[in-house]
Amino acid sequence: MTSSLQTPREMQKVQVALATRPYEVLIGNHLLPIVGEYSRSVITPCRCAVITDDNVAPLHSGVLMESLKRAGFDPHLVVIPSGEQSKSMLSASDLCDRLIGLGIDRKGAIFSLGGGVIGDLAGFVASVFYRGIPVIQIPTTVVSQIDSSVGGKTGVNSHLGKNLIGSFHQPLLVIADTATLSSLPERIFREGLAEAIKHGVIADATLLAMLPPESNQDLTPLIARNVAIKATIVEADEFETKGMRALLNFGHTIGHAVESVAGYGVLSHGEAVAIGMIAALDLSVRLAGLPSVQADQVRETIRTCELPEKLPESLSTESLLAALQRDKKFDRGAVRFVLTAQLGSAMVSDRVTTQDITQAIDRLRS
Ligand SMILES: NC(=O)c1ccc[n+]([C@@H]2O[C@H](COP(=O)([O-])OP(=O)(O)OC[C@H]3O[C@@H](n4cnc5c(N)ncnc54)[C@H](O)[C@@H]3O)[C@@H](O)[C@H]2O)c1
Ligand SMILES: [Zn+2]
């Protein structure tokens, strides 16, 4: 960073210290107007695309486009339909054609403005367009600010499964403007808190005391703490080969099964993960020695964040077990389950049996 940059008060910086190329995550209130200035410190101004969706474009793209123009960039707005169905090879291919049509080439760059869907899709396109061009992530949901924009995992869905096609493509810079979160629908805001609770459980129990945030509170410290946790895990295991990144699956094994059996869209991802975390806490108490009082504390946080704790009546144990068998976290039939023995830490266990899981699912109804 050059010293001439204006640093807004209260802005926090988190380094993602990767050996190949470190980058910064900037977190603060009202950062969109200075994206151009900060981007210019990591990339030469160029013809570039701002990829966003049709919900975010009318709310936040104007300020970003102006900021990029002021800094000497030649930005072109590319808007795609919002929603998970846009995370497909078809959209990726269509986006590549649109970028070529706009005259963007290997000297260009992509700015991804939106939630995790836009971040994953735009990051994926950046990784293959002209064999890879820079991407700057500007996440606008809680999930994307605390999780998906950091770490370089990009990708799209196959009709046979989510996130099965992708690449690792680290961003040059991530700018999380917490002011953008104020336009989020309440339910989408709250589901993001499930991932923050997960971070608290696996890495930093004191984070739980910051949840839920008060309305109108400056979210910068909360987002920054979460980004720091994600950054530490990514630094330790950039390519998900060493087991550390697997800890981010706490609550996700049963959570994914609940999400898919309920039918995508019925329960949001975060809501299903909240239910999955209740089961994972139960298993942690019974199999890993987690003190019950600590499990109760997390359950209370899930409750105060207004996330669900109980399984919807319509989901049978059999259908959930069948979904678990199809999950990629089942390695040739053996479950690799993330448990916590002490809040603020986690481990992968292969000692969780189908019977244990069946009991944990049944207890989600009581
Ligand atoms: N790459 C990773 O490491 C990683 C990690 C976690 C999740 N993900 C992926 O992220 C995706 C989910 O991300 P998400 O929860 O952000 O969902 P999303 O991108 O679909 O955004 C949720 C909704 O909020 C809208 N929206 C976004 N920002 C807004 C704003 N500021 N104001 C008003 N509306 C806004 C969007 O248009 C959308 O309708 C999934 O595809 C998931 O697989 C990736
Ligand atoms: Zn998740």
Side-chain angles (χ1 to χ4, degrees):
M1 293 280 152
T2 58
S3 54
S4 62
L5 289 174
Q6 299 264 322
T7 303
R9 272 180 55 236
E10 321 294 351
M11 184 177 88
Q12 296 201 25
K13 292 183 186 181
V14 176
Q15 277 277 339
V16 186
L18 296 176
T20 40
R21 202 188 52 75
Y23 58 95
E24 276 182 330
V25 183
L26 312 181
I27 305 116
N29 212 5
H30 295 297
L31 297 188
L32 284 184
I34 54 150
V35 167
E37 211 183 318
Y38 271 91
S39 299
R40 204 170 47 190
S41 68
V42 294
I43 185 179
T44 310
C46 56
R47 180 174 288 226
C48 56
V50 172
I51 300 180
T52 190
D53 73 26
D54 52 11
N55 287 330
V56 180
L59 295 167
H60 302 298
S61 68
V63 180
L64 175 61
M65 296 293 282
E66 279 313 307
S67 164
L68 289 171
K69 283 179 199 159
R70 268 199 315 277
F73 287 87
D74 175 19
H76 296 261
L77 189 64
V78 179
V79 183
I80 63 159
S82 61
E84 190 70 34
Q85 66 284 357
S86 279
K87 238 180 82 172
S88 69
M89 281 302 260
L90 209 62
S91 310
S93 154
D94 178 53
L95 268 176
C96 288
D97 290 343
R98 288 169 75 178
L99 300 192
I100 295 164
L102 289 167
I104 294 167
D105 61 17
R106 64 170 56 81
K107 297 196 199 87
I110 289 176
F111 290 81
S112 151
L113 174 71
V117 163
I118 289 295
D120 282 12
L121 173 67
F124 178 64
V125 166
S127 77
V128 291
F129 190 72
Y130 279 87
R131 297 192 182 78
I133 62 170
V135 63
I136 292 178
Q137 295 279 357
I138 304 158
T140 62
T141 61
V142 177
V143 168
S144 56
Q145 294 197 351
I146 72 174
D147 191 354
S148 61
S149 65
V150 178
K153 270 201 198 180
T154 81
V156 296
N157 303 323
S158 153
H159 65 276
L160 297 175
K162 284 187 67 177
N163 297 320
L164 297 183
I165 304 156
S167 61
F168 284 98
H169 190 58
Q170 299 291 345
L172 274 194
L173 178 67
V174 182
I175 301 183
D177 181 347
T178 53
T180 62
L181 302 177
S182 58
S183 57
L184 277 178
E186 177 73 22
R187 189 174 173 198
I188 296 176
F189 180 87
R190 271 191 280 112
E191 76 155 314
L193 300 180
E195 306 290 352
I197 297 172
K198 176 191 81 179
H199 282 156
V201 170
I202 67 171
D204 178 3
T206 62
L207 177 59
L208 296 169
M210 296 172 86
L211 294 167
E214 308 271 330
S215 53
N216 297 327
Q217 172 188 331
D218 176 14
L219 296 168
T220 303
L222 175 65
I223 302 291
R225 283 276 283 282
N226 278 280
V227 169
I229 291 169
K230 179 80 194 264
T232 304
I233 292 174
V234 169
E235 285 161 5
D237 188 12
E238 181 177 356
F239 297 108
E240 203 167 3
T241 49
K242 299 180 185 158
M244 281 291 285
R245 258 181 125 137
L247 303 180
L248 292 165
N249 286 326
F250 182 80
H252 280 61
T253 307
I254 291 177
H256 277 147
V258 169
E259 188 181 7
S260 77
V261 174
Y264 283 106
V266 175
L267 283 172
S268 69
H269 173 75
E271 289 164 351
V273 166
I275 295 169
M277 286 195 289
I278 300 281
L281 288 165
D282 183 34
L283 289 165
S284 295
V285 170
R286 287 192 288 138
L287 304 173
L290 176 73
S292 313
V293 53
Q294 293 189 17
D296 289 343
Q297 185 197 343
V298 184
R299 274 195 284 264
E300 179 60 18
T301 309
I302 289 173
R303 209 169 296 139
T304 53
C305 290
E306 296 177 53
L307 289 162
E309 300 165 81
K310 288 216 166 92
L311 211 50
E313 297 282 340
S314 56
L315 308 191
S316 72
T317 303
E318 295 69 36
S319 60
L320 290 169
L321 289 172
L324 280 165
Q325 295 295 343
R326 293 192 295 269
D327 193 296
K328 58 186 173 182
K329 282 184 286 303
F330 268 72
D331 197 0
R332 282 173 284 276
V335 209
R336 297 187 43 75
F337 211 100
V338 184
L339 299 177
T340 174
Q342 189 72 28
L343 290 187
S345 68
M347 63 190 173
V348 177
S349 167
D350 52 13
R351 291 185 24 234
V352 182
T353 64
T354 307
Q355 196 188 4
D356 296 325
I357 293 179
T358 308
Q359 279 172 9
I361 291 173
D362 287 339
R363 287 155 66 112
L364 284 172
R365 295 197 179 82
S366 57

